[in-house]
């Protein structure tokens, strides 16, 4: 759950252990977590260096966890600040490109596209023949919807790796007119993560060619850039990597899950909760009331034998209610470009 902040599984488990109660030393932490002391010691050192754990002398001697609402939020803000800095760099490069009037044919390092048909055609070309496709997704779709995205379906069935980071607000745009097709993409193997904000729409094939679209488009005349080489392509790859690293992975709960006490809808609810979706967003997607969502969440909390939503995510993973994500982990939905 905290891997997006740079913590591994052992460090996270040690931190959660100390959140519940302080420990006098590494041996006590090892006994409570079941993790070998030789792994606990470096984990404590890393947590202490990050300010997540403090060591106190005197009567309250031992390791104490720092409040998560302060320290973890600060780490999240630092990661988001890094993403915003590269976003500004990309905007400056794009402005320079426009100022010099570059563009032209498909052989150019940067090609300007105008119109939905031209962008949709190039989007299909970029997917065709790729071994890995990475994308930043923010709604609503302006060129290709999930329902029309046959190129991705075919590529996923052929074994192409798809990674997509979705803006959380995208979940609230789900509708009968523009469905997100959560279960379908998950079953086909797309790896998905969720992030609070996406600066631009982006598709990158094999890290060699990128299609970038601005968030704000003129009505009826969308524009985009195809980038093949140079510093702009490097910056776009870097931008995706940073957003992917800081986005929240969601266990592959929408795909076929192992036998267990949960129904498919329970697993989907867990998946949405772990992305940080609000009760209102979940209710909107399911077409039910907030009270229904809250009642089902409380049922899951009781079933897991915990007291809070934070503990529910941890316990669900421990009990095997949610599957680890394929390859690099993650999940949510897709709406095309």
């Amino acid at each position: 759950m905290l891997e997006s902040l740079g913590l591994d599984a052992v460090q996270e488990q040690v931190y959660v252990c100390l959140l519940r109660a302080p420990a006098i030393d590494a041996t006590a932490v090892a006994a409570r977590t079941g993790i070998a002391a030789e792994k606990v010691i470096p984990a404590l050192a890393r947590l202490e260096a990050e300010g997540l754990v403090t060591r106190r002398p005197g009567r309250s001697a031992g390791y104490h966890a720092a409040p998560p609402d302060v320290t973890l939020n600060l780490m999240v803000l630092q990661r988001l600040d890094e993403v915003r800095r590269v976003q500004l760099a990309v905007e400056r490069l794009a402005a320079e490109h426009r100022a010099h009037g570059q563009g032209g044919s498909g052989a150019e390092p940067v090609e300007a596209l105008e119109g939905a048909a031209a962008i949709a055609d190039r989007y299909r070309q970029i997917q065709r023949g790729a071994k890995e496709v990475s994308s930043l997704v923010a709604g609503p779709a302006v060129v290709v919807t999930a329902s029309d995205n046959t190129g991705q379906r075919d590529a996923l069935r052929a074994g192409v790796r798809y990674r997509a980071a979705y803006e959380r607000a995208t979940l609230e745009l789900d509708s009968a007119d523009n469905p997100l097709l959560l279960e379908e993409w998950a079953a086909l193997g797309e790896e998905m993560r969720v992030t609070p904000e996406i600066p631009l729409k982006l598709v990158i094939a094999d890290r060699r060619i990128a299609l970038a679209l601005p968030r704000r488009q003129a009505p009826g005349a969308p524009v985009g850039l195809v980038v093949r080489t140079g510093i702009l392509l490097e910056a776009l790859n870097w931008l995706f990597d940073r957003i992917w690293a800081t986005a929240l992975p969601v266990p592959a709960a929408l795909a076929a899950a192992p036998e267990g006490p949960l129904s498919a809808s329970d697993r989907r609810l867990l998946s949405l909760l772990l992305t940080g979706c609000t009760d209102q967003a979940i209710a909107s997607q399911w077409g039910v009331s907030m009270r229904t969502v809250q009642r089902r969440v409380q049922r899951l909390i009781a079933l897991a034998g915990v007291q809070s939503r934070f503990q529910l995510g941890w316990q669900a993973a421990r009990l095997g209610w949610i599957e680890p994500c394929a390859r690099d982990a993650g999940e949510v939905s897709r709406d095309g470009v």
Side-chain angles (χ1 to χ4, degrees):
M1 186 163 49
L2 301 181
E3 66 179 38
S4 296
L5 298 179
L7 301 182
D8 62 27
V10 172
Q11 293 159 1
E12 180 176 344
Q13 193 170 348
V14 168
Y15 178 63
V16 172
C17 170
L18 294 175
L19 276 177
R20 293 170 179 160
I24 189 65
D25 54 24
T27 302
V29 175
R32 283 163 53 186
T33 60
I35 301 172
E38 57 266 27
K39 294 183 178 180
V40 169
I41 292 171
L44 286 169
R46 170 68 191 286
L47 292 169
E48 193 172 359
E50 294 288 346
L52 292 170
V53 166
T54 58
R55 210 170 354 177
R56 300 180 187 174
R59 294 179 59 186
S60 59
Y63 289 96
H64 295 251
D69 55 341
V70 176
T71 51
L72 293 181
N73 279 333
L74 179 59
M75 293 174 71
V76 169
L77 290 173
Q78 290 171 340
R79 294 295 180 97
L80 289 176
D81 187 53
E82 292 176 359
V83 172
R84 289 192 180 98
R85 283 200 296 270
V86 76
Q87 178 186 352
L88 291 174
V90 170
E91 289 175 354
R92 286 195 296 269
L93 289 169
E96 183 177 348
H97 168 265
R98 289 193 298 269
H100 288 80
Q102 297 179 27
S105 69
E108 295 293 332
V110 179
E111 174 190 1
L113 299 175
E114 184 173 355
I119 295 173
D121 184 60
R122 192 54 50 86
Y123 176 51
R124 285 189 287 268
Q125 290 177 11
I126 287 174
Q127 292 184 94
R128 193 177 303 131
K131 295 181 180 178
E132 177 176 301
V133 177
S134 305
S135 60
L136 302 179
V137 182
V142 296
V143 178
V144 181
T145 66
S147 300
D148 295 331
N149 196 1
T150 56
Q152 179 173 336
R153 287 185 182 84
D154 294 341
L156 281 166
R157 293 187 181 106
V160 176
R161 183 187 185 190
Y162 272 78
R163 295 186 300 162
Y166 295 85
E167 188 171 74
R168 183 171 294 136
T170 304
L171 297 175
E172 302 183 20
L173 298 173
D174 194 17
S175 69
D177 297 327
N178 182 28
L180 292 176
L181 305 182
L182 291 167
E183 289 85 355
E184 179 176 350
W185 295 126
L188 287 172
E190 182 176 278
E191 302 170 46
M192 311 176 195
R193 295 188 179 186
V194 183
T195 188
E197 183 180 4
I198 293 291
L200 73 163
K201 297 183 178 223
L202 178 66
V203 179
I204 304 175
D206 297 331
R207 304 185 70 85
R208 295 186 297 105
I209 181 170
L211 171 61
L213 280 68
R215 290 292 303 269
R216 292 179 177 84
Q217 296 276 7
V223 296
L225 290 179
V226 177
V227 183
R228 292 180 176 81
T229 60
I231 189 172
L232 182 53
L233 180 61
E234 293 178 11
L236 291 173
N237 274 301
W238 192 92
L239 175 64
F240 174 82
D241 291 341
R242 297 307 298 170
I243 291 180
W244 182 258
T246 56
L248 183 65
V250 183
L254 299 184
E259 292 297 324
L262 304 184
S263 66
S265 59
D266 286 333
R267 289 192 298 273
R268 184 182 179 190
L269 176 58
L270 267 175
S271 176
L272 294 174
L273 287 172
L274 291 175
T275 68
C277 280
T278 63
D279 290 351
Q280 181 61 56
I282 297 172
S284 175
Q285 283 210 38
W286 283 6
V288 299
S289 67
M290 281 184 59
R291 181 174 297 179
T292 297
V293 173
Q294 292 163 354
R295 184 172 63 250
R296 295 190 63 174
V297 172
Q298 289 303 314
R299 173 184 170 276
L300 288 176
I301 289 174
L303 190 61
V306 295
Q307 302 297 317
S308 69
R309 296 186 182 206
F310 177 82
Q311 294 171 335
L312 174 61
W314 180 268
Q315 186 75 336
R318 191 182 71 82
L319 294 173
W321 289 357
I322 47 181
E323 294 181 278
C325 299
R327 301 184 181 98
D328 202 16
E331 157 165 10
V332 160
S333 72
R334 181 164 230 317
D335 75 340
V337 175

